[in-house]
Amino acid sequence: MKSDRFKPSSQTIVLLSLLFSSLLFYALFWSGHHYSIDGVVMFQYAKALLFQRSFVMTPPVVWGDFSFTVSKWAIGMSLAYIPILALLAATIYRGDPTFQQIPYQPGNPFNIELLINEPYRASSWLNPLVTATTVLILYLLARRLKMPANRAYLASLLLGIASPAAVYAKFDFAQPLAALLLLLTLLFMLHWHGHRPFWLVLAGFCLGLASLTRTEFLLFPAPFLAATVFFLPQTEGNWSFWSQDRLRNGLLFTTPVGLFVLVHLYLNQIRFGSLLSVGYSPTSEFNFTPVHIIIAFIGNLFSPGRGCIVFFPLTLFAGWGLVSLFRKDRWAAYLLGGTTIGLMLLYATWNDWGGGISWGPRFLIPILPYLVLLGVQGFFSLRWPMNWLRTVVFILFILSGFVATLQGLLFNFLDFFGQAQLTPEQVVTGYYNFQFQYSPLFASWQGLTTPEQWDIFWLRSSESQPVFLMTAVICIILLSFTISRGRDHANSITNS
């Protein structure tokens, strides 16, 4: 008879269910190729840092009229690739010099090897693993907010397999990593809540790492989160403006963030020749005119091309969820609500508020975990006249989100926008996002009955269809089993 101490707890089974369900789902739709010049440069820059031990890429990454000798993007994603590249270089690709090389063909402005290459294919499990971990951490955050285990499980599972986060798990953008680090920051701040300074230092460290992934996090939410530590109450029931230990707590949180600011300045000097140069021109990145901000804010919520509510309709209930959370835990409500609203406003001031040629609400991926969590909380906090009506509405909203997610998983949005032939001016202004014909969600289903056109690695050739069918069957069986086990154990936690 086995000892009970060797039996995994229900909490552990729920967490493992979320982790493996997400990874199985991502494996089914894995593509293994690049989607953006951002991702190409960040990945190749990791090679320069690791193999060339240089902040300058040799040869440069050439794409169109651009020649990148250094990455103008934040360095966090490149740093995240380094352990993976080091592991692969020491094992599978040991002794293979081509693994370490940056693809370069003189005179070729669009080298296809930059988009599809073996080193990236072997490393492209980074974002799936990051997103699956984010799903797991969201469950812990929900439980920390005293959400019933079954609802916390539901919200986390929705984030992992029925929201835009699932689509971005297969892309090469930096937003998934930023989402994970920001989520960890808020979770550690909630664990601290006036106690155990260690959690506060850890939160500041995670926020510093997040700023290395998305530099704009230094503009927001870093100042906002520092202000919450300084001025919001440190113990329940104490809502005086001044906190007795605010200076100590503020220093514990801001010191690690400040150290990362110094890292930023050092990297700026090394890469761009100036402490204050970040690779972008601030005057061209932001637009503070009221009309632009209003259009961008509405566009990121409701437009057919970028609207978070369109791509994940349950977001519509997030406001009610925030009100419900405020009644139970004002500290947490300020933390989650302020971070969510603040980042939405920040990206509304972004000149290219739609995130360039991309799929869905790209810039809102870092706050999507909170929108999903608050959406679930808000939906179930409302009083419904009949239980069957609540069930029907919930299923319809979830199915709508899953259909949108499926579109992004099955089809390559680059093919769609390549046919749309948008001008650079149209892309930057973002007005096209309000037109249904320029939304892949509404106008890019032509290849649904032709699996060869699906953006899935296992279907790159007609001969691989049996492999995909076998992989799909195995993944679906395992996915159903792990979800069922996780749901049952989440219910047992809630009912205990």
Side-chain angles (χ1 to χ4, degrees):
M1 180 176 179
K2 294 182 179 179
S3 173
D4 287 343
R5 66 178 179 172
F6 294 111
K7 293 181 180 179
S9 66
S10 291
Q11 179 92 328
T12 301
I13 293 176
V14 169
L15 293 174
L16 290 175
S17 169
L18 289 170
L19 181 65
F20 287 116
S21 296
S22 300
L23 290 175
L24 283 167
F25 190 75
Y26 304 149
L28 183 61
F29 295 98
W30 175 63
S31 64
H33 65 80
H34 278 292
Y35 291 85
S36 68
I37 188 59
D38 313 31
V40 168
V41 174
M42 288 186 289
F43 178 71
Q44 300 300 335
Y45 200 54
K47 288 185 181 180
L49 294 172
L50 177 63
F51 301 125
Q52 300 176 8
R53 289 175 171 76
S54 172
F55 286 98
V56 178
M57 289 183 287
T58 306
V61 172
V62 176
W63 193 257
D65 296 330
F66 298 98
S67 179
F68 298 94
T69 55
V70 297
S71 171
K72 73 172 186 177
W73 289 276
I75 203 170
M77 195 69 178
S78 296
L79 295 177
Y81 280 121
I82 287 179
I84 300 173
L85 287 170
L87 176 63
L88 292 171
T91 55
I92 299 175
Y93 296 94
R94 185 180 182 87
D96 183 358
T98 62
F99 181 80
Q100 304 181 14
Q101 295 172 0
I102 296 174
Y104 179 70
Q105 293 180 353
N108 184 358
F110 297 103
N111 184 2
I112 193 64
E113 289 186 14
L114 287 171
L115 295 180
I116 303 176
N117 58 81
E118 189 66 27
Y120 177 73
R121 183 179 301 123
S123 307
S124 62
W125 51 268
L126 173 62
N127 266 345
L129 183 59
V130 164
T131 306
T133 306
T134 303
V135 171
L136 186 151
I137 299 300
L138 181 63
Y139 175 83
L140 296 177
L141 177 68
R143 294 295 289 151
R144 176 61 184 78
L145 297 176
K146 297 181 172 58
M147 180 180 281
N150 52 4
R151 291 185 188 175
Y153 181 79
L154 175 62
S156 302
L157 193 62
L158 289 177
L159 176 72
I161 67 175
S163 80
V167 182
Y168 273 81
K170 72 183 291 182
F171 293 164
D172 56 1
F173 295 100
Q175 275 74 24
L177 181 59
L180 172 60
L181 293 170
L182 183 58
L183 186 62
L184 285 170
T185 301
L186 297 191
L187 176 63
F188 293 148
M189 291 185 73
L190 287 170
H191 272 302
W192 162 66
H193 200 190
H195 311 285
R196 301 179 183 177
F198 167 76
W199 292 111
L200 200 57
V201 175
L202 200 55
F205 180 78
C206 287
L207 182 59
L209 287 175
S211 73
L212 283 183
T213 305
R214 297 297 302 178
T215 310
E216 67 270 16
F217 279 12
L218 291 176
L219 301 177
F220 193 93
F224 167 75
L225 295 179
T228 62
V229 175
F230 271 107
F231 299 120
L232 287 186
Q234 314 309 316
T235 58
E236 294 182 6
N238 174 19
W239 273 85
S240 59
F241 183 76
W242 298 106
S243 171
Q244 182 179 357
D245 299 320
R246 70 186 186 282
L247 181 60
R248 182 203 64 182
N249 294 331
L251 287 175
L252 287 173
F253 180 75
T254 57
T255 297
V257 178
L259 292 176
F260 277 96
V261 171
L262 295 179
V263 172
H264 274 281
L265 295 176
Y266 170 76
L267 291 173
N268 291 343
Q269 181 65 43
I270 292 295
R271 294 196 295 168
F272 311 118
S274 171
L275 291 174
L276 300 180
S277 176
V278 294
Y280 291 92
S281 173
T283 57
S284 63
E285 291 301 322
F286 295 97
N287 187 334
F288 295 102
T289 59
V291 172
H292 172 86
I293 293 174
I294 292 172
I295 291 175
F297 190 85
I298 294 174
N300 276 325
L301 279 179
F302 299 104
S303 70
R306 290 289 183 266
C308 193
I309 290 176
V310 176
F311 284 79
F312 188 74
L314 202 64
T315 304
L316 193 63
F317 297 93
W320 284 282
L322 185 59
V323 172
S324 175
L325 179 61
F326 184 80
R327 292 169 180 164
K328 296 188 299 183
D329 190 336
R330 285 192 284 181
W331 159 263
Y334 273 106
L335 210 57
L336 268 65
T339 300
T340 300
I341 296 171
L343 277 175
M344 290 177 66
L345 289 172
L346 173 68
Y347 290 119
T349 67
W350 216 262
N351 197 36
D352 185 5
W353 58 267
I357 297 298
S358 55
W359 182 92
R362 173 188 169 190
F363 282 155
L364 301 191
I365 295 299
I367 60 173
L368 190 61
Y370 321 117
L371 292 173
V372 174
L373 185 68
L374 294 173
V376 171
Q377 176 69 16
F379 184 89
F380 288 103
S381 68
L382 295 176
R383 293 184 178 180
W384 294 83
M386 292 163 285
N387 286 335
W388 68 265
L389 178 62
R390 181 182 69 175
T391 302
V392 170
V393 173
F394 188 75
I395 291 175
L396 288 176
F397 271 73
I398 296 309
L399 284 177
S400 298
F402 185 76
V403 168
T405 299
L406 192 63
Q407 195 283 327
L409 290 168
L410 289 180
F411 307 109
N412 189 345
F413 68 88
L414 292 177
D415 295 335
F416 172 75
F417 285 113
Q419 296 174 4
Q421 295 185 336
L422 295 165
T423 66
E425 183 180 1
Q426 286 177 303
V427 173
V428 172
T429 58
Y431 297 151
Y432 70 94
N433 289 307
F434 290 94
Q435 302 177 48
F436 285 91
Q437 66 267 31
Y438 291 125
S439 170
L441 184 58
F442 294 94
S444 182
W445 291 90
Q446 294 86 348
L448 185 61
T449 58
T450 312
E452 292 85 356
Q453 297 184 24
W454 295 355
D455 184 30
I456 296 175
F457 176 78
W458 318 108
L459 290 173
R460 290 286 163 78
S461 64
S462 58
E463 292 80 9
S464 64
Q465 288 188 24
V467 176
F468 173 72
L469 182 61
M470 181 178 66
T471 304
V473 170
I474 294 174
C475 284
I476 290 172
I477 292 173
L478 292 175
L479 187 63
S480 301
F481 174 76
T482 54
I483 290 176
S484 176
R485 290 278 290 174
R487 181 199 61 203
D488 292 343
H489 282 273
N491 286 335
S492 68
I493 296 173
T494 298
N495 297 328
S496 61

